[in-house]
Coordinates of all heavy atoms in Angstrom, one line a residue:
D1 N 13.5 15.1 4.2 CA 14.0 15.5 5.5 C 13.1 16.4 6.2 O 12.2 17.1 5.6 CB 15.3 16.3 5.2 CG 16.5 15.4 4.9 OD1 16.6 14.4 5.4 OD2 17.2 15.8 4.0
F2 N 13.1 16.5 7.4 CA 12.3 17.4 8.2 C 12.8 18.7 8.2 O 14.1 19.0 8.1 CB 12.3 17.0 9.7 CG 11.3 15.8 10.1 CD1 11.7 14.5 10.0 CD2 10.0 16.1 10.5 CE1 10.8 13.5 10.3 CE2 9.1 15.2 10.7 CZ 9.5 13.8 10.7
S3 N 11.9 19.7 8.2 CA 12.3 21.1 8.2 C 11.2 21.9 9.0 O 10.0 21.6 8.8 CB 12.3 21.7 6.6 OG 12.5 23.1 6.7
E4 N 11.7 22.5 10.0 CA 10.8 23.2 10.9 C 9.8 22.3 11.5 O 8.6 22.6 11.8 CB 10.1 24.4 10.4 CG 11.1 25.4 9.8 CD 10.5 26.7 9.4 OE1 9.2 26.9 9.4 OE2 11.3 27.5 8.8
G5 N 10.2 21.1 11.8 CA 9.3 20.1 12.5 C 8.4 19.4 11.6 O 7.7 18.4 12.2
L6 N 8.5 19.6 10.3 CA 7.5 18.7 9.4 C 8.3 18.2 8.3 O 9.4 18.7 7.8 CB 6.4 19.8 8.8 CG 5.6 20.4 9.8 CD1 4.6 21.5 9.0 CD2 4.7 19.5 10.6
A7 N 7.9 17.0 7.8 CA 8.5 16.3 6.7 C 7.5 16.0 5.7 O 6.4 15.6 6.0 CB 9.2 14.9 7.2
L8 N 7.8 16.1 4.4 CA 7.0 15.8 3.3 C 7.0 14.3 3.1 O 8.0 13.7 3.1 CB 7.6 16.5 2.1 CG 6.8 16.2 0.8 CD1 5.5 16.9 0.7 CD2 7.5 16.7 -0.5
V9 N 5.9 13.8 3.0 CA 5.7 12.3 2.8 C 4.6 12.0 1.9 O 3.6 12.8 1.6 CB 5.4 11.5 4.2 CG1 6.5 11.6 5.1 CG2 4.2 11.9 4.7
A10 N 4.7 10.8 1.2 CA 3.6 10.2 0.4 C 3.3 8.9 0.9 O 4.4 8.0 0.9 CB 4.0 10.3 -1.0
E11 N 2.2 8.6 1.4 CA 2.0 7.2 2.0 C 1.3 6.4 0.8 O 0.5 6.9 0.0 CB 1.0 7.2 3.0 CG 0.8 6.1 3.9 CD 0.1 6.3 5.2 OE1 0.2 7.3 5.9 OE2 -0.8 5.5 5.5
Y12 N 1.7 5.1 0.8 CA 1.0 4.2 -0.2 C -0.5 4.3 0.0 O -1.0 4.4 1.1 CB 1.6 2.7 0.1 CG 3.0 2.6 -0.6 CD1 4.0 2.7 0.3 CD2 3.0 2.4 -2.0 CE1 5.2 2.5 -0.3 CE2 4.3 2.3 -2.5 CZ 5.4 2.3 -1.8 OH 6.7 2.1 -2.3
G13 N -1.3 4.4 -1.1 CA -2.6 4.5 -1.0 C -3.2 5.9 -1.1 O -4.2 6.2 -1.4
W14 N -2.2 6.9 -0.9 CA -2.6 8.3 -1.2 C -2.7 8.8 -2.6 O -3.0 9.8 -2.9 CB -1.6 9.3 -0.4 CG -1.7 9.3 1.0 CD1 -2.6 8.6 1.8 CD2 -0.9 10.0 1.9 NE1 -2.4 8.8 3.1 CE2 -1.4 9.8 3.3 CE3 0.1 11.0 1.7 CZ2 -0.8 10.4 4.5 CZ3 0.6 11.6 3.0 CH2 0.1 11.3 4.1
G15 N -2.3 7.9 -3.5 CA -2.3 8.2 -4.9 C -1.4 9.2 -5.4 O -1.6 10.1 -6.2
R16 N -0.1 9.1 -4.8 CA 1.0 10.1 -5.1 C 0.7 11.4 -4.7 O 1.4 12.4 -5.2 CB 1.3 10.1 -6.6 CG 1.8 8.7 -7.1 CD 3.2 8.3 -6.5 NE 4.3 8.8 -7.3 CZ 5.6 8.9 -6.8 NH1 5.8 8.5 -5.6 NH2 6.5 9.3 -7.5
A17 N -0.2 11.6 -3.8 CA -0.4 12.9 -3.1 C 0.4 13.1 -2.0 O 0.9 12.1 -1.3 CB -1.9 13.2 -2.7
Y18 N 0.9 14.3 -1.7 CA 2.0 14.6 -0.7 C 1.3 15.3 0.5 O 0.4 16.1 0.4 CB 3.1 15.3 -1.2 CG 3.9 14.6 -2.2 CD1 3.5 14.7 -3.6 CD2 5.0 13.7 -1.8 CE1 4.2 13.9 -4.6 CE2 5.7 13.0 -2.8 CZ 5.4 13.1 -4.2 OH 6.0 12.4 -5.1
G19 N 1.7 14.9 1.6 CA 1.2 15.6 2.8 C 2.5 15.8 3.8 O 3.6 15.5 3.4
F20 N 2.2 16.2 5.0 CA 3.3 16.5 6.0 C 3.1 15.8 7.3 O 2.0 15.8 7.8 CB 3.5 18.0 6.2 CG 4.2 18.7 5.0 CD1 3.5 19.2 4.1 CD2 5.5 18.9 4.9 CE1 4.0 19.8 2.9 CE2 6.1 19.5 4.0 CZ 5.3 20.0 3.0
I21 N 4.0 15.2 7.9 CA 3.9 14.6 9.2 C 4.9 15.4 10.3 O 5.8 16.0 9.8 CB 4.4 13.1 9.2 CG1 5.9 13.0 8.8 CG2 3.4 12.3 8.4 CD1 6.4 11.5 8.9
N22 N 4.6 15.1 11.5 CA 5.5 15.8 12.5 C 6.4 14.8 13.0 O 6.4 13.5 12.5 CB 4.6 16.4 13.7 CG 3.8 15.3 14.4 OD1 4.1 14.1 14.4 ND2 2.8 15.8 15.1
T23 N 7.3 14.9 13.9 CA 8.4 14.0 14.4 C 7.8 12.8 15.2 O 8.6 11.9 15.5 CB 9.5 14.7 15.3 OG1 8.8 15.4 16.3 CG2 10.2 15.9 14.5
R24 N 6.5 12.8 15.4 CA 5.9 11.7 16.1 C 5.2 10.7 15.0 O 4.6 9.8 15.3 CB 4.8 12.1 17.1 CG 5.5 12.9 18.3 CD 4.6 13.3 19.4 NE 3.4 14.1 19.0 CZ 3.7 15.5 18.8 NH1 4.7 16.0 19.0 NH2 2.7 16.3 18.4
G25 N 5.2 11.2 13.8 CA 4.7 10.4 12.6 C 3.2 10.7 12.5 O 2.6 10.0 11.6

């Protein structure tokens, strides 16, 4: 879920590392 405009995501190919995206992706 988004919180304060950012969402935690893991993209395929990132090797199970997590980053954050904004509401525009």
Side-chain angles (χ1 to χ4, degrees):
D1 285 321
F2 277 89
S3 177
E4 297 187 6
L6 299 176
L8 179 72
V9 295
E11 191 170 320
Y12 282 99
W14 284 1
R16 295 296 269 166
Y18 296 87
F20 288 87
I21 61 169
N22 62 21
T23 56
R24 293 182 302 280

